[in-house]
Each structure stands twice: as structure tokens, then as C-alpha cells.
Amino acid sequence: MPTSPSNDTAARTATPDTAAAPPAGDLEVAGVRITHPDRVVDPGRDLRKIDLVRYGESVADLLLKHLKGRPVSLVRAPEGLDGESFFQKHAGRGAIPGLTLLDPALDAPHPPLIAVESVQAVIGALQMGAIEFHPWGAKANSLDRPDRLVLDLDPDPDLHWNHVIEAAELVRQLLDQLGLRGFLKTSGGHGLHIVLPLRRCHSWDGVARFARMAAETLARRHPEVFVARAGAAQRVGRIFVDHGRNHRGATTVAAWSPRARLGLPVSVPLAWDELVTLPGPAPWTIATIGDLLAERREHDPWSLFETERQALGGASRLLVTR
Ligand code: ATP
Ligand code: MN
């Protein structure tokens, strides 16, 4: 005779041997108990919490490369895309399994900043309703010396995608002229991100100033394409080069993070020569990225990202004199 769920529960409570087994429907991934695995996150695509957890498990090693050692903010949407979501920068609001709490002195008087350092923490965060992982551009052991600069290309939503591709090429041209290497990724939202790994020899002010100068140079050289100042009115028909991701405490979604948007798209690292065939900013979702993920494990377009360490001094002088 099949055991009914209630009998099952009663048996578990009574029998010490099975007391640790997850309740019916729950399961364990990377040592984290996943509750409500069937909870719907994106009703439109019928994507569930378990789909996010399985994606997280499959990508954790790649995602962690972009998170380890850094404070991380989380976008949490415990009730799914249709519910309330919040941006979590500090410890609090329910403990997350595996999460690291950083030295409170780093961001006093706030609660400790948090870090995601292990597969368990990735899965723990997903278990607690996190969808997006947003690292700082600096490591906790040297928080005043940023090691990444981000240029965020935010197109007017009505702009044809081909123009965004052309614009990103122009950014690459500028970086080439400055002797800098930028790494390209989809945001998984509406635009593209270009990330420059830095030597840890600049202040936040120095990095922010350089990013602003680069954005202003693009807007000056190609006024029909770029704008360097925020504001919907200014951006009409153009692309805002958001350079404001480069101050202390600013964050950008990590490569390989899912996005809390319809379809649960992923921010994907790209080679520059893939740009021309990119059909849009979010071609891959947690449900469709399997093949690409396997391919990226064979050939990583960001293989130099870890070792590239650039100083901005020479490029700054070039920017000023042009
Ligand atoms: P898109 O391509 O659609 O512009 P994006 O990732 O570039 O995607 P957003 O998702 O709009 O842009 O994120 C904006 C930035 O602000 C991110 O870098 C994120 O880390 C940060 N952010 C998002 N939500 C909050 C919040 N509630 N408080 C503080 N910072 C936030
Ligand atoms: Mn953006």
C-alpha cells in the first residue's frame, strides 16, 4: 500500500534514522536543503526555483570566479518575478546558508558586507530567493583599490539592436587606441557591459574619473551614437555610456548570474568577434544556456580576464590629449 504523505511525516518524526530526511518535495543540493523547489519564479515560462538552483549548480564554478573575495549584493525575489524584490547589500533578513560575513569595519556603521565564496553559498542564496549576484569592483582585502572598471552601455529601448552592436565596436576601438583590453558581456537585461581588469594601483576616484573621461570622449567623438550623461531625454536614439558603476560600493551583475527579469536571462561573457552576430542583449536564459555553457567550458572567451592587470596612467594621458 502506498504511504500517504501524512503517514510519511509521522514516521519521520518518530524514527530517529529518517529524521534528517527532507520533507516530501524538498531536496538537498550542495549540502543546502531546497525548500519549495516547485515554487514558480517566472509564471510566463513556467520556470521554478528548482530550475534556478540547477542552473546555479551547473554554473557555480564559473560564477564564483567573478564573486570570490568580493563584497556581493543580491537581488532577492522570494516570491518570484511577480512578487516584491529587494537589493541586499549587507547581512540581515534571514541567514543565508554558506554566506560569508565580511569584517564589519569595511562598511561601518552598517551590518557586515556579505560575500559568496562557495558552491554552498551560491545555492544557499538561491534557496533564500536570490536571483542576481552583483559583486563590487574591488576585493575585500583591498577595498580601496578597485581591480575592475565597468562601462555599461544602456541603449534607448527603441534603438535598433544593430546600432548597439556598432556602438560597442566603437568602444572597443577607443580602448584599442588607449592600449586597454575590455571584456564584453551581455547584461542579460537591455544592454552590454564592458569590464576592464585593473592593477590595484588606483583609487576609486581615479577609476571613476577615467571611466567618465572615456564616456565623455565617446560622446564627443560620436555625438549621434553616445551620451555620457544620464536622463531619458538625452538618450533618445542613442546609448548612454553609464560610467557611474565605478565608485566605492557600486556593483554590476556578475558574468553568469541569472537576471530577475522575464525568462530569467543570463549575463554571458562574449568574445568581441561574437558581437556582430549577437541577436540581442539577452539571447540566453537559464533554460536555454546549456549548450553554450558546455561550449564555454571548452573555449572561454574571457580566459585572459583573470590574469590581465591594467594600469590606467598611460591611457589617461592619451584621453586628455585627444
Ligand atoms: P540593463 O542592461 O538592462 O541596463 P544592467 O545590469 O546594466 O541591465 P540594472 O539591472 O538596471 O542594469 O542595474 C543597475 C545597477 O544598479 C546595477 O549595477 C546594480 O548593481 C545596481 N542596483 C540595482 N538595484 C539596486 C538597488 N535597489 N540599490 C542599489 N543599487 C542597485
Ligand atoms: Mn545597463
Side-chain angles (χ1 to χ4, degrees):
M1 200 178 87
T3 323
S4 76
S6 54
N7 282 348
D8 198 30
T9 310
R12 238 195 341 269
T13 316
T15 316
D17 279 351
T18 53
D26 287 7
L27 70 158
E28 205 173 280
V29 176
V32 179
R33 176 159 304 172
I34 308 301
T35 56
H36 309 294
D38 291 328
R39 176 172 288 156
V40 174
V41 177
D42 180 350
R45 313 284 167 110
D46 192 28
L47 291 169
R48 292 157 190 268
K49 187 174 173 186
I50 187 62
D51 299 313
L52 268 171
V53 167
R54 291 296 180 208
Y55 170 72
E57 189 183 24
S58 73
V59 84
D61 59 327
L62 300 176
L63 177 63
L64 282 165
K65 283 189 190 175
H66 300 284
L67 303 180
K68 269 193 176 170
R70 299 165 190 280
V72 168
S73 300
L74 302 171
V75 174
R76 288 171 66 184
E79 306 302 327
L81 297 185
D82 287 347
E84 186 197 342
S85 70
F86 57 98
F87 193 77
Q88 179 176 357
K89 197 173 164 185
H90 301 99
R93 287 243 221 165
I96 291 180
L99 204 73
T100 302
L101 305 191
L102 296 171
D103 178 355
L106 292 174
D107 206 28
H110 303 287
L113 292 165
I114 53 183
V116 175
E117 304 273 280
S118 63
V119 182
Q120 192 199 8
V122 170
I123 303 299
L126 296 171
Q127 154 58 20
M128 294 301 287
I131 298 181
E132 302 188 1
F133 297 81
H134 292 238
W136 284 40
K139 291 197 167 165
N141 65 7
S142 191
L143 213 45
D144 290 317
R145 291 278 176 250
D147 66 350
R148 289 178 188 168
L149 180 156
V150 178
L151 292 175
D152 168 27
L153 303 188
D154 278 343
D156 172 350
D158 293 332
L159 197 64
H160 194 282
W161 181 249
N162 284 345
H163 293 305
V164 184
I165 291 179
E166 287 162 17
E169 279 299 343
L170 292 172
V171 179
R172 173 152 88 143
Q173 272 174 29
L174 174 66
L175 295 176
D176 277 352
Q177 287 166 10
L178 298 174
L180 295 173
R181 192 196 298 269
F183 291 80
L184 177 70
K185 67 185 183 75
T186 63
S187 74
H190 302 294
L192 295 167
H193 295 157
I194 296 161
V195 189
L196 282 69
L198 302 178
R199 271 181 53 199
R200 298 201 278 182
C201 59
H202 304 288
S203 65
W204 287 107
D205 279 355
V207 174
R209 195 178 321 119
F210 182 88
R212 179 171 48 76
M213 285 197 314
E216 286 172 351
T217 301
L218 287 163
R220 197 172 57 244
R221 286 193 193 172
H222 313 282
E224 71 294 352
V225 179
F226 295 112
V227 54
R229 268 184 296 151
Q234 332 230 24
R235 196 180 58 171
V236 172
R238 297 190 283 183
I239 292 154
F240 171 43
V241 187
D242 184 356
H243 50 84
R245 303 280 180 96
N246 300 295
H247 55 264
R248 195 180 193 278
T251 54
T252 302
V253 75
W256 298 112
S257 171
R259 304 304 310 264
R261 308 202 185 184
L262 290 181
L264 301 177
V266 174
S267 174
V268 177
L270 299 172
W272 280 99
D273 62 11
E274 293 176 298
L275 183 58
V276 65
T277 53
L278 190 67
W284 297 281
T285 71
I286 64 159
T288 65
I289 204 166
D291 289 349
L292 184 80
L293 196 53
E295 185 193 308
R296 296 287 127 132
R297 287 188 181 285
E298 297 294 310
H299 175 70
D300 175 8
W302 280 33
S303 59
L304 296 176
F305 186 77
E306 293 298 310
T307 48
E308 185 75 82
R309 293 286 169 263
Q310 310 173 95
L312 299 172
S316 287
R317 284 186 289 278
L318 282 174
L319 264 187
V320 173
T321 53
R322 274 162 199 246

